[in-house]
Amino acid sequence: MHHTARNTMRWILGCLTLCGFALMGARVVRRQPINSPGPSLRSAEVGVEAAVLSVESAVELAGRWYIADQRGHRVHVLDRTGALHRSFGRRGQGPGEFIAPSRIAGTRAYTFVAEMGRPDVSVFDSAGKFVRFLRVRGTCADGNIAAMAASGSTLYVLRRCVELPHRIRLQVERSRDAGALTVWAAVSDTTAIEARDGLPIHVPVLAVNETRLVMGDGVHACLRVVRLPDGAPEGSRCFDELPRRPVPAEERQKLSARWAGRIVVPDSLPRVMAIALRDSTVALQIPESAETMTWVEVHWQSRPFEPVRALGRSAVEKSFLGTQSQLVAFDDANGVRLQVVPLAR
């Protein structure tokens, strides 16, 4: 398969996995009390010889990169040079174990890991030792975690679930100091499903800093800002001027046949794949093609679209933006290669 088509397929299948879990109601719920410590367990840490098999999500914390390795069922920690410092976790469903880690966030004291198809969040201390599970109560409690971000000592979780017959719910939850995970109703949202032949593909995005939270849908690049910590709305913006890159027709036909009646396969790539907050601007990860991504920093209120500066461009599948550097993951025949690139000030 051509390189472009392969990357296109990987992206679409990743989005379809999220929709598929939400539609089918697939859940693996750990038998643990909500927001409670787990039982004592043998160490889930592994040595630095553990290979990085995939990079599903990554976050920069205090100059180090923390990576959710979905295929390897671990979390890896890289030092400032990009070298593997340590790893923790292993395959399993118990405390400190993972089946498919897909989202990661962290504070100075804790690392938070979410998994595909599981509603709870695993909490680890700064040494990589398991602390407790966090799970929200009430509406959408069994929904999938689409995104996570942290600021100060507070974790924010963006959860996605289907409210039958024809609604998708996105709600934001938060946990302070790794305490109880609760719904933050001020920014919860319920959206109607317009198509009757399956679920639409969404690319939920979330970013926070000390003063604001930004969330939205990367397919249409519509974002809204919420003030922290009180949750007061501070405006919204749809980046309609960003182009829509087409999905190759052959790949779209294959996916449409496979997911007929369950998922609405898009005819184009999302406008935005991820977002990150800078000091007074927002950074957007924009697909230039099916195999090239670029990070662009823009002023929130700038109209028309006027980039402040480019923050990194690469013909790779995975790229993550931190406060001090960018992590780039090269996935090729030789396995996953990682590179940490300092950001120019």
Side-chain angles (χ1 to χ4, degrees):
M1 183 181 292
H2 188 271
H3 186 66
T4 301
R6 185 179 68 232
N7 279 355
T8 302
M9 179 72 79
R10 286 177 177 173
W11 170 79
I12 295 177
L13 288 179
C15 294
L16 292 180
T17 300
L18 287 175
C19 292
F21 271 110
L23 179 65
M24 294 181 291
R27 299 286 179 265
V28 181
V29 181
R30 297 180 174 97
R31 296 181 180 275
Q32 287 290 342
I34 297 173
N35 298 321
S36 68
S40 60
L41 69 158
R42 61 190 186 280
S43 173
E45 294 191 43
V46 295
V48 296
E49 71 276 3
V52 178
L53 301 182
S54 66
V55 181
E56 186 66 23
S57 178
V59 62
E60 187 181 29
L61 301 171
R64 288 180 172 171
W65 278 95
Y66 288 68
I67 295 172
D69 182 353
Q70 189 171 94
R71 291 175 56 195
H73 314 288
R74 295 184 177 94
V75 170
H76 303 286
V77 184
L78 308 183
D79 64 20
R80 296 176 184 273
T81 69
L84 187 59
H85 173 65
R86 62 187 174 91
S87 304
F88 58 89
R90 58 172 165 263
R91 184 182 180 88
Q93 298 182 20
E97 298 176 338
F98 308 118
I99 290 296
S102 59
R103 298 290 179 262
I104 191 166
T107 64
R108 289 185 177 273
Y110 300 102
T111 303
F112 305 92
V113 183
E115 299 170 69
M116 184 67 67
R118 291 186 172 183
D120 52 1
V121 177
S122 293
V123 183
F124 298 84
D125 65 15
S126 58
K129 295 186 180 299
F130 176 81
V131 177
R132 63 175 63 92
F133 294 124
L134 300 180
R135 189 180 178 207
V136 74
R137 295 180 183 271
T139 302
C140 208
D142 288 337
N144 283 287
I145 295 173
M148 295 198 308
S151 176
S153 61
T154 303
L155 169 72
Y156 295 88
V157 173
L158 180 60
R159 192 180 301 272
R160 180 182 186 275
C161 64
V162 176
E163 295 180 334
L164 298 177
H166 302 295
R167 301 191 75 84
I168 291 179
R169 181 179 181 86
L170 293 174
Q171 71 179 24
V172 176
E173 305 149 11
R174 63 181 178 182
S175 165
R176 292 175 173 169
D177 295 315
L181 187 64
T182 58
V183 177
W184 196 27
V187 288
S188 63
D189 185 32
T190 303
T191 305
I193 302 174
E194 298 179 359
R196 298 305 177 107
D197 56 346
L199 291 176
I201 285 183
H202 287 175
V203 180
V205 293
L206 174 72
V208 302
N209 62 13
E210 293 81 3
T211 60
R212 60 180 54 89
L213 176 149
V214 177
M215 62 173 289
D217 174 22
V219 172
H220 304 290
C222 288
L223 308 176
R224 55 194 179 106
V225 177
V226 175
R227 187 177 65 199
L228 297 180
D230 61 354
E234 286 196 338
S236 61
R237 169 145 184 217
C238 292
F239 291 88
D240 299 320
E241 57 271 53
L242 293 176
R244 298 292 297 270
R245 309 293 184 183
V247 174
E250 180 180 354
E251 300 302 329
R252 188 174 185 277
Q253 291 174 1
K254 291 179 181 178
L255 291 170
S256 295
R258 177 179 178 182
W259 295 96
R262 301 176 66 191
I263 302 295
V264 179
V265 179
D267 56 7
S268 58
L269 298 169
R271 286 190 169 99
V272 172
M273 292 297 295
I275 60 174
L277 290 179
R278 316 302 291 165
D279 293 334
S280 59
T281 59
V282 60
L284 311 174
Q285 188 184 46
I286 303 170
E288 295 183 347
S289 69
E291 60 182 1
T292 305
M293 301 284 182
T294 183
W295 280 100
V296 176
E297 185 180 14
V298 298
H299 289 296
W300 177 256
Q301 298 294 343
S302 177
R303 296 179 184 273
F305 182 79
E306 296 176 359
V308 176
R309 60 174 176 166
L311 297 174
R313 181 178 184 274
S314 55
V316 295
E317 186 179 354
K318 299 289 185 179
S319 174
F320 304 90
L321 196 66
T323 56
Q324 303 176 35
S325 62
Q326 180 182 185
L327 175 68
V328 181
F330 301 84
D331 191 359
D332 55 28
N334 297 320
V336 178
R337 295 180 294 112
L338 303 172
Q339 182 180 9
V340 175
V341 182
L343 292 175
R345 291 290 181 180

